[in-house]
Amino acid sequence: MSMERGSFAARHDFDALPLSPDVDVRRAKFSEIAALSQLAHRLVPGVRIGATELAKYFAFDPESILTFSRKGNLVGGMAFLFLNDRGHDALLLDEICLTAPETRYLASAKEDVSAIYIWAIAATGRGVAGLGKAAAHLRQLRFRNADCYAQPSTVAGRDIMKATGFEPVPSFQPDLWCYERPWHRQPTRMPSAIIQARSFADARY
């Protein structure tokens, strides 16, 4: 994952990030896949997936790709892999090809989402402010029981991980970070932001 610009000077729990009115966040449209692919190739080091492959995963799960726009202009996007139990295990054991994951590891509409892998974040300028609404997307009933995982590929991406409550986790997958949802934590670790996070559980935008 990568961010081109923008900083998180203050630490905010991922589930308590503000919902910025400046950036619109919504599910991608098929017609936007090519532009999102180009944006990812420009901003995220090592991205190899092309528009055709991205469209395949989008067709499998249209909720897996979000667009960030400001004043009608595309300023970013975010892609996820919604993993089932098999996929969750494969992620921790480094048995999944994250550049071309097999769909048997992805949760179907009939399966529980066991883990969310943040495949890519690509945003320019103020697009980073869209993260709050992206987090709200992941608080829908289908996703809220799944912890989030990511592998930062840039210094800026690593800074965002640190600023939003992600921590490195032991796994066979190199440099894997995890964000544990507030409602999964022990009471002594639960931040006051949980009240705010839960109030956004059914946020729509």
Side-chain angles (χ1 to χ4, degrees):
M1 57 168 289
S2 171
M3 304 294 298
E4 184 184 51
R5 290 178 300 182
S7 64
F8 276 73
R11 182 183 173 92
H12 291 282
D13 207 65
F14 183 63
D15 275 305
L17 290 172
L19 305 180
S20 171
D22 294 334
V23 180
D24 294 320
V25 177
R26 56 172 174 74
R27 294 195 310 181
K29 298 177 182 177
F30 186 81
S31 59
E32 296 170 314
I33 296 298
L36 287 168
S37 177
Q38 292 173 1
L39 188 70
H41 278 266
R42 181 163 63 89
L43 298 181
V44 185
V47 166
R48 283 173 284 181
I49 191 167
T52 301
E53 292 84 3
L54 196 61
K56 169 188 170 184
Y57 293 104
F58 177 74
F60 183 84
D61 195 333
E63 292 192 280
S64 65
I65 302 176
L66 301 177
T67 60
F68 298 0
S69 58
R70 185 168 183 264
K71 297 181 179 178
N73 297 315
L74 183 68
V75 293
M78 197 164 178
F80 313 96
L81 297 177
F82 299 128
L83 303 174
N84 55 27
D85 288 338
R86 294 185 303 278
H88 192 177
D89 289 343
L91 175 67
L92 297 176
L93 295 171
D94 194 17
E95 293 178 351
I96 183 173
C97 177
L98 291 170
T99 56
E102 298 176 56
T103 54
R104 66 189 178 97
Y105 291 132
L106 306 181
S108 69
K110 297 178 181 179
E111 288 181 295
D112 291 336
V113 176
S114 179
I116 298 166
Y117 181 76
I118 299 176
W119 211 8
I121 302 174
T124 61
R126 297 186 65 179
V128 68
L131 283 177
K133 290 180 178 177
H137 177 76
L138 298 179
R139 287 193 293 276
Q140 295 179 74
L141 184 61
R142 182 186 176 206
F143 311 122
R144 61 182 284 110
N145 283 328
D147 291 335
C148 301
Y149 293 85
Q151 290 173 297
S153 57
T154 64
V155 172
R158 189 178 296 270
D159 288 345
I160 287 174
M161 294 286 94
K162 294 176 180 177
T164 54
F166 283 76
E167 296 179 352
V169 292
S171 71
F172 291 96
Q173 187 73 241
D175 202 25
L176 187 65
W177 291 56
C178 178
Y179 168 76
E180 186 180 20
R181 308 306 281 268
W183 37 92
H184 287 170
R185 302 173 196 167
Q186 296 299 321
T188 54
R189 292 184 57 204
M190 191 173 292
S192 59
I194 188 172
I195 298 173
Q196 179 185 5
R198 281 179 171 161
S199 71
F200 291 143
D202 295 317
R204 296 292 182 266
Y205 39 87

PDB file of all heavy atoms in Angstrom, residues 7-14 17 156-166 177:
ATOM      1  N   SER A   7      -0.166  13.682   5.448  1.00  0.00           N
ATOM      2  CA  SER A   7       0.449  13.136   6.649  1.00  0.00           C
ATOM      3  C   SER A   7      -0.583  13.002   7.747  1.00  0.00           C
ATOM      4  O   SER A   7      -1.594  13.692   7.765  1.00  0.00           O
ATOM      5  CB  SER A   7       1.590  14.043   7.122  1.00  0.00           C
ATOM      6  OG  SER A   7       1.089  15.313   7.513  1.00  0.00           O
ATOM      7  N   PHE A   8      -0.304  12.087   8.664  1.00  0.00           N
ATOM      8  CA  PHE A   8      -1.139  11.898   9.841  1.00  0.00           C
ATOM      9  C   PHE A   8      -0.282  12.262  11.056  1.00  0.00           C
ATOM     10  O   PHE A   8       0.382  11.413  11.629  1.00  0.00           O
ATOM     11  CB  PHE A   8      -1.597  10.435   9.941  1.00  0.00           C
ATOM     12  CG  PHE A   8      -2.818  10.138   9.120  1.00  0.00           C
ATOM     13  CD1 PHE A   8      -2.738  10.057   7.738  1.00  0.00           C
ATOM     14  CD2 PHE A   8      -4.040   9.943   9.724  1.00  0.00           C
ATOM     15  CE1 PHE A   8      -3.854   9.787   6.978  1.00  0.00           C
ATOM     16  CE2 PHE A   8      -5.171   9.666   8.961  1.00  0.00           C
ATOM     17  CZ  PHE A   8      -5.082   9.591   7.600  1.00  0.00           C
ATOM     18  N   ALA A   9      -0.276  13.543  11.408  1.00  0.00           N
ATOM     19  CA  ALA A   9       0.538  13.972  12.538  1.00  0.00           C
ATOM     20  C   ALA A   9      -0.043  13.441  13.839  1.00  0.00           C
ATOM     21  O   ALA A   9       0.677  13.053  14.749  1.00  0.00           O
ATOM     22  CB  ALA A   9       0.622  15.498  12.564  1.00  0.00           C
ATOM     23  N   ALA A  10      -1.358  13.440  13.937  1.00  0.00           N
ATOM     24  CA  ALA A  10      -2.019  12.963  15.148  1.00  0.00           C
ATOM     25  C   ALA A  10      -2.455  11.518  14.955  1.00  0.00           C
ATOM     26  O   ALA A  10      -2.824  11.114  13.863  1.00  0.00           O
ATOM     27  CB  ALA A  10      -3.217  13.848  15.464  1.00  0.00           C
ATOM     28  N   ARG A  11      -2.418  10.763  16.029  1.00  0.00           N
ATOM     29  CA  ARG A  11      -2.815   9.361  15.964  1.00  0.00           C
ATOM     30  C   ARG A  11      -4.329   9.258  16.100  1.00  0.00           C
ATOM     31  O   ARG A  11      -4.928   9.858  16.980  1.00  0.00           O
ATOM     32  CB  ARG A  11      -2.123   8.568  17.073  1.00  0.00           C
ATOM     33  CG  ARG A  11      -2.457   7.084  17.043  1.00  0.00           C
ATOM     34  CD  ARG A  11      -1.791   6.374  18.206  1.00  0.00           C
ATOM     35  NE  ARG A  11      -2.232   4.998  18.272  1.00  0.00           N
ATOM     36  CZ  ARG A  11      -1.617   3.979  17.677  1.00  0.00           C
ATOM     37  NH1 ARG A  11      -0.526   4.199  16.984  1.00  0.00           N
ATOM     38  NH2 ARG A  11      -2.069   2.749  17.779  1.00  0.00           N
ATOM     39  N   HIS A  12      -4.946   8.535  15.209  1.00  0.00           N
ATOM     40  CA  HIS A  12      -6.382   8.289  15.248  1.00  0.00           C
ATOM     41  C   HIS A  12      -6.608   6.799  15.018  1.00  0.00           C
ATOM     42  O   HIS A  12      -6.021   6.210  14.121  1.00  0.00           O
ATOM     43  CB  HIS A  12      -7.128   9.055  14.148  1.00  0.00           C
ATOM     44  CG  HIS A  12      -7.150  10.539  14.331  1.00  0.00           C
ATOM     45  ND1 HIS A  12      -7.997  11.171  15.208  1.00  0.00           N
ATOM     46  CD2 HIS A  12      -6.419  11.512  13.744  1.00  0.00           C
ATOM     47  CE1 HIS A  12      -7.791  12.483  15.149  1.00  0.00           C
ATOM     48  NE2 HIS A  12      -6.841  12.712  14.271  1.00  0.00           N
ATOM     49  N   ASP A  13      -7.473   6.215  15.829  1.00  0.00           N
ATOM     50  CA  ASP A  13      -7.861   4.843  15.566  1.00  0.00           C
ATOM     51  C   ASP A  13      -8.517   4.800  14.186  1.00  0.00           C
ATOM     52  O   ASP A  13      -9.287   5.691  13.826  1.00  0.00           O
ATOM     53  CB  ASP A  13      -8.860   4.402  16.644  1.00  0.00           C
ATOM     54  CG  ASP A  13      -8.835   2.919  16.886  1.00  0.00           C
ATOM     55  OD1 ASP A  13      -7.801   2.429  17.347  1.00  0.00           O
ATOM     56  OD2 ASP A  13      -9.846   2.260  16.601  1.00  0.00           O
ATOM     57  N   PHE A  14      -8.202   3.785  13.398  1.00  0.00           N
ATOM     58  CA  PHE A  14      -8.743   3.676  12.043  1.00  0.00           C
ATOM     59  C   PHE A  14     -10.271   3.780  12.038  1.00  0.00           C
ATOM     60  O   PHE A  14     -10.861   4.443  11.177  1.00  0.00           O
ATOM     61  CB  PHE A  14      -8.292   2.353  11.422  1.00  0.00           C
ATOM     62  CG  PHE A  14      -8.707   2.142  10.000  1.00  0.00           C
ATOM     63  CD1 PHE A  14      -8.258   2.991   8.994  1.00  0.00           C
ATOM     64  CD2 PHE A  14      -9.549   1.087   9.654  1.00  0.00           C
ATOM     65  CE1 PHE A  14      -8.638   2.797   7.660  1.00  0.00           C
ATOM     66  CE2 PHE A  14      -9.929   0.884   8.327  1.00  0.00           C
ATOM     67  CZ  PHE A  14      -9.472   1.735   7.337  1.00  0.00           C
ATOM     68  N   LEU A  17     -11.516   7.607  12.504  1.00  0.00           N
ATOM     69  CA  LEU A  17     -11.099   8.698  11.624  1.00  0.00           C
ATOM     70  C   LEU A  17     -12.309   9.537  11.239  1.00  0.00           C
ATOM     71  O   LEU A  17     -13.409   9.009  11.042  1.00  0.00           O
ATOM     72  CB  LEU A  17     -10.440   8.133  10.355  1.00  0.00           C
ATOM     73  CG  LEU A  17      -9.073   7.479  10.535  1.00  0.00           C
ATOM     74  CD1 LEU A  17      -8.642   6.788   9.242  1.00  0.00           C
ATOM     75  CD2 LEU A  17      -8.027   8.507  10.948  1.00  0.00           C
ATOM     76  N   ALA A 156       5.651   6.548   3.709  1.00  0.00           N
ATOM     77  CA  ALA A 156       4.382   7.217   4.002  1.00  0.00           C
ATOM     78  C   ALA A 156       3.315   6.201   4.387  1.00  0.00           C
ATOM     79  O   ALA A 156       2.517   6.435   5.301  1.00  0.00           O
ATOM     80  CB  ALA A 156       3.936   8.027   2.790  1.00  0.00           C
ATOM     81  N   GLY A 157       3.297   5.072   3.689  1.00  0.00           N
ATOM     82  CA  GLY A 157       2.329   4.038   4.023  1.00  0.00           C
ATOM     83  C   GLY A 157       2.546   3.487   5.415  1.00  0.00           C
ATOM     84  O   GLY A 157       1.598   3.245   6.170  1.00  0.00           O
ATOM     85  N   ARG A 158       3.819   3.307   5.782  1.00  0.00           N
ATOM     86  CA  ARG A 158       4.136   2.818   7.120  1.00  0.00           C
ATOM     87  C   ARG A 158       3.711   3.839   8.178  1.00  0.00           C
ATOM     88  O   ARG A 158       3.205   3.486   9.249  1.00  0.00           O
ATOM     89  CB  ARG A 158       5.628   2.530   7.211  1.00  0.00           C
ATOM     90  CG  ARG A 158       6.057   1.808   8.486  1.00  0.00           C
ATOM     91  CD  ARG A 158       7.570   1.524   8.426  1.00  0.00           C
ATOM     92  NE  ARG A 158       7.861   0.614   7.322  1.00  0.00           N
ATOM     93  CZ  ARG A 158       7.871  -0.708   7.431  1.00  0.00           C
ATOM     94  NH1 ARG A 158       7.604  -1.267   8.593  1.00  0.00           N
ATOM     95  NH2 ARG A 158       8.153  -1.462   6.394  1.00  0.00           N
ATOM     96  N   ASP A 159       3.909   5.121   7.877  1.00  0.00           N
ATOM     97  CA  ASP A 159       3.499   6.168   8.824  1.00  0.00           C
ATOM     98  C   ASP A 159       1.991   6.143   9.045  1.00  0.00           C
ATOM     99  O   ASP A 159       1.515   6.354  10.169  1.00  0.00           O
ATOM    100  CB  ASP A 159       3.925   7.545   8.304  1.00  0.00           C
ATOM    101  CG  ASP A 159       5.437   7.774   8.402  1.00  0.00           C
ATOM    102  OD1 ASP A 159       6.104   7.003   9.124  1.00  0.00           O
ATOM    103  OD2 ASP A 159       5.931   8.708   7.741  1.00  0.00           O
ATOM    104  N   ILE A 160       1.243   5.889   7.976  1.00  0.00           N
ATOM    105  CA  ILE A 160      -0.209   5.825   8.109  1.00  0.00           C
ATOM    106  C   ILE A 160      -0.612   4.622   8.959  1.00  0.00           C
ATOM    107  O   ILE A 160      -1.516   4.703   9.796  1.00  0.00           O
ATOM    108  CB  ILE A 160      -0.878   5.781   6.723  1.00  0.00           C
ATOM    109  CG1 ILE A 160      -0.786   7.164   6.082  1.00  0.00           C
ATOM    110  CG2 ILE A 160      -2.339   5.344   6.830  1.00  0.00           C
ATOM    111  CD1 ILE A 160      -1.284   7.215   4.679  1.00  0.00           C
ATOM    112  N   MET A 161       0.078   3.498   8.755  1.00  0.00           N
ATOM    113  CA  MET A 161      -0.194   2.318   9.584  1.00  0.00           C
ATOM    114  C   MET A 161      -0.015   2.648  11.066  1.00  0.00           C
ATOM    115  O   MET A 161      -0.872   2.352  11.907  1.00  0.00           O
ATOM    116  CB  MET A 161       0.753   1.180   9.206  1.00  0.00           C
ATOM    117  CG  MET A 161       0.590   0.598   7.815  1.00  0.00           C
ATOM    118  SD  MET A 161      -0.871  -0.447   7.609  1.00  0.00           S
ATOM    119  CE  MET A 161      -2.025   0.795   6.977  1.00  0.00           C
ATOM    120  N   LYS A 162       1.099   3.284  11.382  1.00  0.00           N
ATOM    121  CA  LYS A 162       1.391   3.617  12.772  1.00  0.00           C
ATOM    122  C   LYS A 162       0.373   4.602  13.337  1.00  0.00           C
ATOM    123  O   LYS A 162       0.000   4.522  14.510  1.00  0.00           O
ATOM    124  CB  LYS A 162       2.796   4.224  12.880  1.00  0.00           C
ATOM    125  CG  LYS A 162       3.927   3.259  12.550  1.00  0.00           C
ATOM    126  CD  LYS A 162       5.274   3.977  12.592  1.00  0.00           C
ATOM    127  CE  LYS A 162       6.420   3.043  12.256  1.00  0.00           C
ATOM    128  NZ  LYS A 162       7.729   3.766  12.218  1.00  0.00           N
ATOM    129  N   ALA A 163      -0.082   5.528  12.498  1.00  0.00           N
ATOM    130  CA  ALA A 163      -0.973   6.587  12.969  1.00  0.00           C
ATOM    131  C   ALA A 163      -2.423   6.146  13.114  1.00  0.00           C
ATOM    132  O   ALA A 163      -3.214   6.844  13.746  1.00  0.00           O
ATOM    133  CB  ALA A 163      -0.893   7.780  12.017  1.00  0.00           C
ATOM    134  N   THR A 164      -2.766   5.015  12.530  1.00  0.00           N
ATOM    135  CA  THR A 164      -4.175   4.593  12.563  1.00  0.00           C
ATOM    136  C   THR A 164      -4.387   3.294  13.333  1.00  0.00           C
ATOM    137  O   THR A 164      -5.423   2.643  13.197  1.00  0.00           O
ATOM    138  CB  THR A 164      -4.737   4.448  11.135  1.00  0.00           C
ATOM    139  OG1 THR A 164      -3.906   3.569  10.369  1.00  0.00           O
ATOM    140  CG2 THR A 164      -4.818   5.797  10.443  1.00  0.00           C
ATOM    141  N   GLY A 165      -3.413   2.908  14.151  1.00  0.00           N
ATOM    142  CA  GLY A 165      -3.618   1.786  15.053  1.00  0.00           C
ATOM    143  C   GLY A 165      -3.198   0.429  14.534  1.00  0.00           C
ATOM    144  O   GLY A 165      -3.472  -0.590  15.178  1.00  0.00           O
ATOM    145  N   PHE A 166      -2.541   0.363  13.374  1.00  0.00           N
ATOM    146  CA  PHE A 166      -2.005  -0.905  12.874  1.00  0.00           C
ATOM    147  C   PHE A 166      -0.700  -1.229  13.610  1.00  0.00           C
ATOM    148  O   PHE A 166       0.065  -0.327  13.965  1.00  0.00           O
ATOM    149  CB  PHE A 166      -1.716  -0.833  11.377  1.00  0.00           C
ATOM    150  CG  PHE A 166      -2.933  -0.935  10.502  1.00  0.00           C
ATOM    151  CD1 PHE A 166      -3.794   0.140  10.349  1.00  0.00           C
ATOM    152  CD2 PHE A 166      -3.209  -2.114   9.808  1.00  0.00           C
ATOM    153  CE1 PHE A 166      -4.919   0.046   9.530  1.00  0.00           C
ATOM    154  CE2 PHE A 166      -4.320  -2.210   8.980  1.00  0.00           C
ATOM    155  CZ  PHE A 166      -5.177  -1.131   8.844  1.00  0.00           C
ATOM    156  N   TRP A 177       1.107  -6.122   8.847  1.00  0.00           N
ATOM    157  CA  TRP A 177       0.581  -5.307   9.928  1.00  0.00           C
ATOM    158  C   TRP A 177      -0.905  -5.612  10.094  1.00  0.00           C
ATOM    159  O   TRP A 177      -1.595  -5.934   9.116  1.00  0.00           O
ATOM    160  CB  TRP A 177       0.766  -3.821   9.615  1.00  0.00           C
ATOM    161  CG  TRP A 177       2.196  -3.359   9.622  1.00  0.00           C
ATOM    162  CD1 TRP A 177       3.232  -3.872   8.887  1.00  0.00           C
ATOM    163  CD2 TRP A 177       2.740  -2.285  10.382  1.00  0.00           C
ATOM    164  NE1 TRP A 177       4.388  -3.180   9.151  1.00  0.00           N
ATOM    165  CE2 TRP A 177       4.126  -2.205  10.055  1.00  0.00           C
ATOM    166  CE3 TRP A 177       2.205  -1.389  11.289  1.00  0.00           C
ATOM    167  CZ2 TRP A 177       4.960  -1.250  10.624  1.00  0.00           C
ATOM    168  CZ3 TRP A 177       3.049  -0.435  11.865  1.00  0.00           C
ATOM    169  CH2 TRP A 177       4.400  -0.375  11.533  1.00  0.00           C
TER     170      TRP A 177
END
